[in-house]
Amino acid sequence: MKKHLLMVLVAMLAVAQNAFAYDFSVQSPSGHTLNYNIIDEHSVEVIGSDCTGDLIIPESVVHEANTYYVTTIGGYAFYYASGLTSIVIPNTVTTIRDYSFWNCDGLLSLNIPSSVTNIEQFAFYYFSAPNSITVESGNPVYDSREGCNAIIETATNTLIVGCKNTVIPNTVTSLAVYAFSNCHDLISITIPSSVTSIGSGAFEKCNSLTSIVIPASVTYVGSDAFNCCGALTAIRVESGNTVYDSREDCNAVIETATNMLVKGCMNTVIPSSVTSIGYYALGRCVGLTSVTFSSGVTAIGSEAFHGCSGLTSIECMAEVPPAVGYAALDEITTSIPVYVPCGKAADYQAAEGWSNFTNIQEVCGTTGTTGVSVYAEFGAVVVEGAAGNRVTFYDNAGNVLSTRVPNMNEPLRFESLTSGTYYVKIGILPSRLKVVVR
């Protein structure tokens, strides 16, 4: 994500001089002074100004006795015009260029005329506020079918711009890059089974989104698709998906063929079959309090846990410290306990990424959850193979219900339980085993 933002900033600096240069200015019907660049002898692009309130862009303007039609909304035309509350786009406009409405977070509605046939990819990047989005009927390229509150590219059935009130039609097959980015008020969204592709950054910074279900039909989830969605508590891939899965109810998206966890949330429990963590998989997940890597994890991608400031412990049972990508473990409290296999503390203390932590502890004399069997039986939870270790029993809210140390070769039973989800922790390790009582 940092690389993308850096590229955007560089591009912005590179075009800033041209983007804000203009040929002439004319007052609009709404009383705003708008700046224009001449495209040819008949047409101009509006490149805006620091507009506030209700704006009307005219169909044509007169400059030095020449009449020009307004055919284009230029790049950065209303960049950061946060005071803009409504805009009328005339039926002469055919093109809306990149970053035209970047961060116009006061704009409450958007109507795309039937004349618009070219909306560039980042025209509505970080376009967060609208309650409604419509495309006028008769537009040959875009539509808002079924009153969906979105802009859909008709030929490809790709939803390119959405808002907090969008209902994705079941004819849509793709969600474009940054389709809902920065949509802070989006609380929930249903992705229909017609969708096969979710573009990079599609839901980036949708920080009120609490849960997401990836349909079995989806075969591509782009990088950054759910980045900085700090309120996410549940993420699940429907069974039958041929590319991704959420094995063991892990609250994560895993790429099945590679066993790479590509996206998680604050309640993710990394399955033991996962071998790598993808780029920014849990970046900025401040609600994540502990994480456990099994012995099979070999790589942690760039920024995978960057900014997980809520972490209170890390457990990594890999004999060889997993390779840590750029900033993967940055902005985490370095004094938290990091549990590693017996005799391996020195290796972790010398390893790039791990050496930043000052409280690396070896786990000796206990196998943690290895060899332990936990299962439900007739309203009870039974723990076998944990002899000599402290066993802590939790309810689904994380409250401690009981702590015991079982005798040798004796199963431990927690009885008279109501149906629900419970967790068991063995020994000093932070990882917990999940068990469901029916």
Side-chain angles (χ1 to χ4, degrees):
M1 186 175 76
K2 279 187 175 179
K3 284 184 179 179
H4 172 74
L5 290 176
L6 181 60
M7 290 171 64
V8 169
L9 289 171
V10 169
M12 286 169 56
L13 290 171
V15 302
Q17 185 173 358
N18 291 331
F20 299 113
Y22 57 92
D23 294 327
F24 64 92
S25 300
V26 177
Q27 191 173 67
S28 75
S30 53
H32 298 84
T33 298
L34 296 178
N35 303 323
Y36 296 91
N37 277 329
I38 297 172
I39 297 174
D40 55 38
E41 60 182 326
H42 300 296
S43 58
V44 292
E45 66 172 359
V46 58
I47 58 170
S49 63
D50 187 16
C51 294
T52 60
D54 302 324
L55 172 64
I56 298 174
I57 300 175
E59 291 185 357
S60 62
V61 291
V62 177
H63 175 62
E64 296 180 348
N66 294 316
T67 299
Y68 299 94
Y69 289 101
V70 180
T71 61
T72 301
I73 298 178
Y76 301 90
F78 302 103
Y79 170 77
Y80 265 103
S82 57
L84 189 64
T85 54
S86 71
I87 186 167
V88 175
I89 301 172
N91 254 312
T92 52
V93 170
T94 60
T95 298
I96 302 175
R97 298 210 179 278
D98 280 338
Y99 309 111
S100 295
F101 294 93
W102 175 312
N103 260 340
C104 289
D105 55 10
L107 199 59
L108 299 178
S109 63
L110 177 67
N111 181 62
I112 303 297
S114 57
S115 59
V116 173
T117 55
N118 179 29
I119 299 175
E120 293 187 349
Q121 186 176 46
F122 298 108
F124 296 96
Y125 184 57
Y126 276 20
F127 183 62
S128 61
N131 295 321
S132 65
I133 299 175
T134 55
V135 178
E136 284 185 355
S137 60
N139 190 301
V141 178
Y142 306 104
D143 68 80
S144 292
R145 65 193 69 167
E146 302 172 31
C148 62
N149 276 312
I151 302 173
I152 298 169
E153 190 176 62
T154 305
T156 63
N157 291 311
T158 298
L159 189 151
I160 62 171
V161 183
C163 68
K164 66 181 180 182
N165 293 322
T166 294
V167 177
I168 304 173
N170 60 12
T171 49
V172 166
T173 57
S174 300
L175 305 182
V177 295
Y178 302 106
F180 292 87
S181 67
N182 222 42
C183 191
H184 300 305
D185 295 327
L186 181 69
I187 297 172
S188 64
I189 191 81
T190 299
I191 302 174
S193 58
S194 56
V195 172
T196 60
S197 174
I198 300 174
S200 297
F203 294 93
E204 183 178 79
K205 292 191 176 179
C206 290
N207 49 24
S208 295
L209 190 63
T210 57
S211 64
I212 198 80
V213 176
I214 309 296
S217 56
V218 171
T219 56
Y220 174 77
V221 177
S223 63
D224 303 335
F226 299 97
N227 280 4
C228 298
C229 294
L232 267 181
T233 58
I235 184 166
R236 178 174 62 86
V237 179
E238 284 185 346
S239 60
N241 191 299
T242 58
V243 177
Y244 305 103
D245 67 81
S246 293
R247 64 194 69 167
E248 302 173 30
D249 296 323
C250 61
N251 268 316
V253 179
I254 298 169
E255 191 176 63
T256 305
T258 62
N259 291 313
M260 179 173 69
L261 190 150
V262 297
K263 181 58 189 174
C265 67
M266 68 175 73
N267 291 325
T268 292
V269 177
I270 303 173
S272 58
S273 53
V274 166
T275 57
S276 63
I277 312 297
Y279 163 73
Y280 218 86
L282 287 116
R284 298 286 176 194
C285 188
V286 296
L288 186 70
T289 57
S290 67
V291 62
T292 298
F293 303 109
S294 71
S295 58
V297 172
T298 60
I300 300 173
S302 296
E303 300 188 85
F305 294 88
H306 183 208
C308 290
S309 55
L311 277 174
T312 59
S313 65
I314 297 173
E315 174 190 338
C316 187
M317 291 294 101
E319 294 286 320
V320 176
V324 174
Y326 169 76
L329 301 174
D330 282 11
E331 295 185 32
I332 298 172
T333 303
T334 55
S335 60
I336 64 171
V338 176
Y339 300 101
V340 302
C342 193
K344 299 300 178 180
D347 293 345
Y348 277 81
Q349 288 162 351
E352 185 174 355
W354 298 101
S355 60
N356 296 328
F357 293 99
T358 60
N359 188 15
I360 296 177
Q361 302 180 27
E362 294 181 354
V363 177
C364 301
T366 178
T367 57
T369 57
T370 303
V372 174
S373 175
V374 178
Y375 56 92
E377 180 182 86
F378 306 114
V381 170
V382 181
V383 181
E384 295 181 345
N389 291 300
R390 185 176 66 180
V391 178
T392 308
F393 188 55
Y394 302 84
D395 64 16
N396 193 41
N399 300 308
V400 177
L401 301 180
S402 179
T403 300
R404 305 183 205 170
V405 178
N407 296 325
M408 191 65 63
N409 300 323
E410 267 190 32
L412 189 61
R413 297 178 63 87
F414 299 95
E415 298 183 301
S416 301
L417 302 175
T418 58
S419 60
T421 301
Y422 298 88
Y423 293 89
V424 174
K425 183 163 79 77
I426 313 296
I428 67 170
L429 296 180
S431 59
R432 300 176 185 180
L433 294 170
K434 176 181 177 180
V435 61
V436 178
V437 176
R438 305 294 182 185

